[in-house]
Amino acid sequence: RLVRPGDLYVALSGAHHHGAEFAQQAAHAGAVAILTDAAGRQMVNGIPLPVIVVDRPRQAMAGVAATIYGRPADALTMCAVTGTNGKTTTSFLLEAALRAGGVGTGLVGTVGFQLNGVSLDCIPTTVTTPESTDLQGLLAFLLEESAETVVMEVSSHALVLGRADAI
């Protein structure tokens, strides 16, 4: 649904469907290549796009996204908060302390995104930790807008899915 001309389409295995089932639609939307696993490779036969096959496409996607966005986390001080309870509170307290000390900050978490204490309402969130592609784009934006340190909530689910890989 989000593919635009020139995109790499990442076909992931899901709970009910494999993303490779939608590769033809991605090609019609302008995808220039497909990144998938061996099972997905079998499903995209006949689609006239280059296919990159890896064992763990979700984890590979994080590295590709980081590279595309210029590896923004390498230029930022990254602070991750994880755990069962208290991620949001801890993140807000840490970000506020850094900002009070004169540090340009970004905040990524359950209640949204902030730059220097100002909500970025134009970027909606539905999860604690965005998908790696969205996260890398957000980090690049925060870096471009003068953030020096980013405090982010990282759920255990996000860690399992590799959303914070390449940071």
Side-chain angles (χ1 to χ4, degrees):
R1 292 179 304 224
L2 302 176
V3 173
R4 298 190 197 284
D7 280 358
L8 168 67
Y9 178 63
V10 182
L12 303 173
S13 179
H16 303 289
H17 295 279
H18 196 294
E21 295 174 38
F22 308 102
Q24 189 66 51
Q25 291 96 315
H28 286 300
V32 296
I34 300 167
L35 174 68
T36 192
D37 55 18
R41 174 69 181 111
Q42 298 303 315
M43 300 170 79
V44 298
N45 280 334
I47 297 174
L49 293 177
V51 179
I52 304 158
V53 179
V54 295
D55 290 334
R56 298 172 51 197
R58 185 178 294 278
Q59 286 71 20
M61 177 175 68
V64 170
T67 299
I68 288 170
Y69 284 106
R71 303 200 64 83
D74 292 353
L76 294 161
T77 299
M78 298 297 301
C79 302
V81 179
T82 192
T84 304
N85 294 308
K87 291 185 295 294
T88 301
T89 300
T90 303
S91 295
F92 269 81
L93 289 170
L94 178 56
E95 186 275 338
L98 288 163
R99 192 166 23 90
V103 176
T105 61
L107 180 70
V108 177
T110 303
V111 297
F113 312 126
Q114 293 184 5
L115 173 63
N116 295 317
V118 177
S119 180
L120 300 174
D121 293 330
C122 58
I123 306 172
T125 183
T126 58
V127 295
T128 298
T129 311
E131 186 58 74
S132 61
T133 51
D134 298 327
L135 181 57
Q136 291 295 331
L138 177 60
L139 294 177
F141 171 79
L142 292 171
L143 178 62
E144 186 178 283
E145 294 297 318
S146 77
E148 302 164 76
T149 299
V150 172
V151 178
M152 59 184 284
E153 294 179 55
V154 182
S155 67
S156 57
H157 183 69
L159 290 171
V160 169
L161 292 178
R163 291 181 180 172
D165 285 8
I167 294 176

